[in-house]
Amino acid sequence: MSKAPGPIKKVLVIQYSQTGQLTALTEQIITPLRADPRIAVHLEALVPLRPFPFPWPFFRFLDAFPESAHMVPPALAPLSLKGDEDFDLVILPYQVWFLAPSQPVTAFLKHPIAQGVLRGKPVVTVIACRNMWLLAQEKLKSMLAAAGARLIDNVVLTDPGPTLATFITTPRWMLSGKKAGFWGMPAAGLTDAQIRSSRRFGLALREGLLNDREKGDEPLLAGLGAVQVNPRLYFSERAGTRGFFVWGMLVRAAGPPGSWQRMPLLSLYAAFLTLMIFTLVPVSLALQALLRPFMAQWLSRIKTQFERPSGASSERSHIYGE
Ligand SMILES: Cc1cc2nc3c(=O)[nH]c(=O)nc-3n(C[C@H](O)[C@H](O)[C@H](O)COP(=O)(O)O)c2cc1C
């Protein structure tokens, strides 16, 4: 009797989530892959040796910004990977911390074993965050390039609430664990419908893999509404990134993560940051609204640039039941 053929495609999936949101999203995407006997999924859960708490105590939250912004990797528990595995595709879900990839994901990308596994491999990034991810993706792309990996798709899901409301609802969720809406504000985080409908990406990845399309240069997730860029947040991200970088340098000079010497600077920065969020962001948005006729072309260029490679159009979504 002939032996049943083994899986023909191997997929590596990275996993880290504090609230479970990114895990729920990843599950939707990988369920169709796991259900197919021709595809083997290897799940790599990232475990920081010094865990990041959820909900976050206020100072611990703030204390995470210098290393996040400077992409200083925290130590991870040993990976289950050896470094010589040969995957056909890597799915890299990540959340944004302080306009940069979250620290555990940065630690993975800078890990020598991960770098061995990623070399030459096609990567699909999946972002779930509040709504400011443009420059985090640029940073992540530079880490992928350093590891010799190739980005073929990017899926982005952002909190649907208005930007200024999410500046209140997300920190409240992170600091208290409370996600529900209050005082007329929307609930924090993604909706269940957003998470459920992400199954279409898994179905399309399965189809792409079974047709060897991950070997080519075309995205597998085009036409599925994978990413919608709000280019008006680009200016605030640029200003925020610069601020995090400079203040991050000062705080890091004061002491290592968790040290009391950082507290005065962190307190000062917290006040400064709050002021900036509720002045600079609305002013920048209002100015852009006024200058829209002059900036339209430039904003649309930014939108197109950051929506690559998967794109915003959704003409193929109906194929996957959306
Ligand atoms: C320390 C920290 C900083 C964050 N900074 C940002 C940010 O700069 N931009 C953004 O869109 N979301 C930001 N978020 C929200 C996260 O990207 C994410 O939506 C949330 O943490 C839930 O992710 P989880 O799957 O790990 O639970 C931040 C969250 C944390 C904990």
Side-chain angles (χ1 to χ4, degrees):
M1 214 173 79
S2 68
K3 235 175 86 193
I8 54 167
K9 292 284 160 140
K10 298 195 209 90
V11 179
L12 171 64
V13 181
I14 304 309
Q15 192 156 77
Y16 177 78
S17 176
Q18 290 201 297
T19 65
Q21 172 172 278
L22 195 53
T23 303
L25 172 59
T26 307
E27 275 302 311
Q28 286 296 325
I29 297 177
I30 65 174
T31 297
L33 306 180
R34 276 180 158 160
D36 196 308
R38 293 162 294 180
I39 300 175
V41 174
H42 179 105
L43 205 60
E44 183 73 41
L46 307 180
V47 183
L49 283 182
R50 181 175 177 239
F52 294 97
F54 180 80
W56 294 70
F58 181 68
F59 271 104
R60 185 83 163 85
F61 181 80
L62 275 182
D63 197 37
F65 100 74
E67 280 67 31
S68 303
H70 285 257
M71 293 189 287
V72 178
L76 293 179
L79 302 176
S80 70
L81 297 165
K82 302 272 170 293
D84 57 356
E85 292 86 347
D86 187 17
F87 292 102
D88 296 286
L89 182 72
V90 179
I91 301 179
L92 181 62
Y94 74 95
Q95 52 287 90
V96 177
W97 286 5
F98 300 110
L99 308 176
S102 70
Q103 286 190 39
V105 172
T106 293
F108 176 76
L109 289 169
K110 294 194 166 183
H111 198 294
I113 288 184
Q115 297 202 335
V117 171
L118 287 168
R119 187 146 307 117
K121 300 298 177 211
V123 175
V124 176
T125 47
V126 178
I127 304 174
C129 67
R130 189 177 53 72
N131 73 359
M132 290 172 100
W133 57 272
L134 300 178
L135 297 187
Q137 180 69 352
E138 290 302 294
K139 291 169 194 155
L140 189 123
K141 272 158 66 179
S142 69
M143 288 192 277
L144 283 182
R150 125 185 125 74
L151 180 70
I152 59 166
D153 273 295
N154 180 31
V155 172
V156 183
L157 272 80
T158 57
D159 298 6
T163 296
L164 284 178
T166 64
F167 274 121
I168 295 169
T169 56
T170 308
R172 175 175 180 264
W173 180 28
M174 296 298 117
L175 298 174
S176 71
K178 291 182 186 151
K179 190 167 188 263
F182 68 107
W183 298 350
M185 301 256 185
L190 303 176
T191 63
D192 289 345
Q194 282 176 295
I195 292 179
R196 264 197 315 274
S197 79
S198 299
R199 182 179 154 80
R200 68 188 187 279
F201 302 117
L203 295 169
L205 287 178
R206 179 176 69 187
E207 191 180 307
L209 280 165
L210 296 178
N211 289 293
D212 279 343
R213 291 200 11 245
E214 80 285 359
K215 293 183 176 146
D217 289 328
E218 295 298 312
L220 308 183
L221 303 178
L224 297 180
V227 42
Q228 290 281 352
V229 165
N230 178 355
R232 295 167 66 215
L233 293 173
Y234 178 70
F235 295 101
S236 305
E237 285 210 29
R238 286 275 299 266
T241 296
R242 261 199 297 272
F244 284 143
F245 194 83
V246 174
W247 281 84
M249 226 153 45
L250 291 174
V251 175
R252 275 168 56 71
S259 61
W260 66 265
Q261 292 92 330
R262 287 184 167 211
M263 284 224 187
L265 271 172
L266 286 173
S267 312
L268 198 63
Y269 188 58
F272 175 75
L273 184 64
T274 311
L275 191 74
M276 293 306 265
I277 287 173
F278 292 101
T279 55
L280 188 90
V281 175
V283 166
S284 151
L285 293 178
L287 264 179
Q288 289 180 63
L290 276 177
L291 299 174
R292 192 167 295 158
F294 310 102
M295 298 181 66
Q297 237 183 2
W298 195 75
L299 288 174
S300 112
R301 253 206 320 274
I302 293 197
K303 186 170 162 61
T304 314
Q305 178 194 334
F306 282 97
E307 282 173 354
R308 284 189 201 118
S310 306
S313 69
S314 54
E315 71 279 2
R316 284 198 322 132
S317 291
H318 68 277
I319 304 174
Y320 303 105
E322 292 299 321

